[in-house]
Amino acid sequence: MDHFEYRNGILHAEDVPLTRIAAEVGTPVYVYSRATLTRHARVFRDALAGLDPLICYAVKANGNQAVLKLLAAEGYGADVVSAGEMKRALAAGIPAGKIVFSGVAKTDAEIRAALEAGILQFNVESDAELDAIEQVAAAMGVTARVSLRINPDVDAGTHAKITTGKADNKFGIAWDRAIDVYAHARRLPHVEATGIDLHIGSQLSKLEPFEAAFTRTVELIRRLKAEGHPIRHLDLGGGLGIPYSDETPPAPQAYAEMVHRVTGDLDLKLIFEPGRVIVGNAGLMLSEVVYVKETASKRFLILDAGMNDLMRPALYDAYHEVVAVTEPAAGAARAPVEIVGPVCESTDVFARERPMPPVARGDLVAFRSAGAYGATMSNTYNARELVPEVLVDGDRYAVIRPRQTVDELIAMDRVPDWI
């Protein structure tokens, strides 16, 4: 469920017509619905309530301060993958004790900053990282709390570029090395390994891969406890999918029931890292048709939004529903079009042979389900300004990230005085 619907022939975000935002802010622009965001956060939180969880929102999905502040108010922590994301979370009021630090390439400076901040734990992805954390913690005279991210070698059944739990992925510690690495961690005087972490991928539409990975991990926990390791928490990661098209991902309540069935007798603190399932359907990207181009074999809708503004289709063939902001007439004929952007790359294609109603130059279209991995992945390729973001609340809206100007972009460069 979201709060984007047609009213009087115009697509609205809650009570605000998207035509108004386009006229006042310009396009392309990301538009988020506060009502949808908070509803999704509460549904996920309430589904897990019986498990007494710590829910650490994956900041990489959408790290805008307004989004993080709303989630902090709902009691969420943060899953971060860089010192920059950690600082974003802290600035938004998320307590350090609710922050977990993931990622495969934590630098010494990032480890130091996280220890100084007092985060809950590092999710460790390799032996080398474990040793680096030991060295930094020793130099600071502190003990670092860690969970080891164990790769359960389970195929999540998603696109290859968003799968993270197979043996040949860069993430995590190999399953057959888990016992040895925990033994190594126990020998390190400035590391306390009290948890286990896993994350098998993103946009999962079935519970079976989750259950297979969680069940295998529970078996490992029992063995670790039997060998005297003080395992007190289990981080189950994120990955629950959303409906971009005709997918029917499991509801949070069904997910929670499966987790309880698999982990119910372990007496562990459970940590979850949702991202997309919270913000994905809470946002859309609004764009204007610049040209309609006809060729002998195709019809192109050329938009003012490009792959630099929404990378997902170019990066891993992701699907986004594209709708006209002005509601098509009932029974309007649809014809296949190529929906493309202005970036000087052949991969700047949002959709191929997509059936669309008649759309003309100057018309507005909206990319639905763009709240996750849209703005956070945007960039300035072709010297295009970073796209702005807007948050709607009822009949009002605010610009929560202004559009970058080309002058600001150029001002970031520094020309040596010897040129």
Side-chain angles (χ1 to χ4, degrees), residues 31-34 37-38 41 57-74 76-77 88-89 92 94 275 278-280 282-283 371-372 375-376 389-392 400-401:
V31 180
Y32 309 128
S33 159
R34 176 179 182 171
L37 176 65
T38 54
Y57 166 72
V59 174
K60 62 181 178 290
N62 186 321
N64 190 283
Q65 286 289 285
V67 170
L68 297 181
K69 281 184 174 290
L70 287 175
L71 293 177
E74 297 296 330
Y76 276 55
R88 277 188 171 275
I94 295 176
I278 305 299
V279 295
T376 51
E389 296 170 272
V390 164
L391 179 66
V392 174
I400 58 174
R401 181 173 80 174

Side-chain angles (χ1 to χ4, degrees), residues 57-58 63 104 107-108 228 231 240 303 305 393 401:
Y57 166 72
V104 301
T107 66
D108 287 1
I231 305 299
L240 195 60
L303 309 181
D393 180 25
R401 181 173 80 174

Side-chain angles (χ1 to χ4, degrees), residues 65-366:
Q65 286 289 285
V67 170
L68 297 181
K69 281 184 174 290
L70 287 175
L71 293 177
E74 297 296 330
Y76 276 55
D79 165 50
V80 305
V81 295
S82 70
E85 286 190 350
M86 180 186 73
K87 290 179 180 179
R88 277 188 171 275
L90 292 170
I94 295 176
K98 288 185 175 182
I99 296 177
V100 299
F101 199 140
S102 304
V104 301
K106 305 175 188 71
T107 66
D108 287 1
E110 288 180 314
I111 294 168
R112 187 176 304 108
L115 289 171
E116 289 172 348
I119 67 165
L120 175 64
Q121 69 180 32
F122 295 97
N123 289 338
V124 174
E125 307 243 7
S126 66
D127 308 56
E129 181 191 329
L130 191 60
D131 291 338
I133 292 173
E134 165 67 22
Q135 292 169 10
V136 174
M140 297 175 63
V142 299
T143 298
R145 294 180 296 273
V146 307
S147 282
L148 302 189
R149 178 174 177 176
I150 305 302
N151 187 328
D153 195 20
V154 169
D155 187 350
T158 62
H159 193 286
K161 292 186 178 179
I162 53 175
T163 292
T164 63
K166 296 176 67 177
D168 57 354
N169 294 134
K170 73 176 182 178
F171 300 96
I173 294 164
W175 180 264
D176 59 4
R177 298 199 59 251
I179 297 297
D180 290 342
V181 179
Y182 272 97
H184 175 56
R186 186 155 54 179
R187 292 190 292 268
L188 300 176
H190 295 89
V191 166
E192 184 182 17
T194 59
I196 189 167
D197 168 54
L198 72 153
H199 176 66
I200 62 172
S202 187
Q203 186 53 18
L204 274 72
S205 59
K206 297 180 179 179
L207 286 178
E208 287 80 3
F210 285 121
E211 185 160 358
F214 297 171
T215 299
R216 196 171 196 209
T217 302
V218 166
E219 294 170 357
L220 176 60
I221 291 172
R222 296 191 196 285
R223 181 176 174 185
L224 289 169
K225 282 189 167 186
E227 295 184 5
H229 293 278
I231 305 299
R232 296 193 292 270
H233 48 268
L234 169 59
D235 187 333
L236 294 172
L240 195 60
I242 64 171
Y244 283 101
S245 178
D246 56 358
E247 305 98 329
T248 54
Q253 185 61 46
Y255 172 78
E257 290 170 359
M258 178 274 294
V259 170
H260 187 270
R261 182 172 67 253
V262 174
T263 68
D265 65 340
L266 286 179
D267 190 27
L268 296 176
K269 181 69 174 181
L270 298 182
I271 301 173
F272 299 86
E273 300 171 357
R276 186 193 317 268
V277 72
I278 305 299
V279 295
N281 287 331
L284 55 74
M285 185 181 70
L286 187 59
S287 182
E288 182 178 320
V289 178
V290 180
Y291 297 113
V292 178
K293 177 181 177 179
E294 303 276 0
T295 70
S297 60
K298 292 184 182 294
R299 184 168 184 257
F300 293 87
L301 294 188
I302 304 176
L303 309 181
D304 63 358
M307 61 182 284
N308 70 296
D309 303 309
L310 179 60
M311 284 189 64
R312 297 185 69 253
L315 189 61
Y316 35 70
D317 306 316
Y319 178 95
H320 285 271
E321 182 184 5
V322 183
V323 298
V325 169
T326 299
E327 187 173 18
R334 293 175 178 264
V337 296
E338 307 284 292
I339 304 175
V340 303
V343 173
C344 194
E345 294 285 347
S346 296
T347 54
D348 187 23
V349 178
F350 294 115
R352 299 186 186 276
E353 297 296 307
R354 180 72 62 84
M356 288 286 290
V359 178
R361 171 176 165 84
D363 287 350
L364 297 171
V365 297

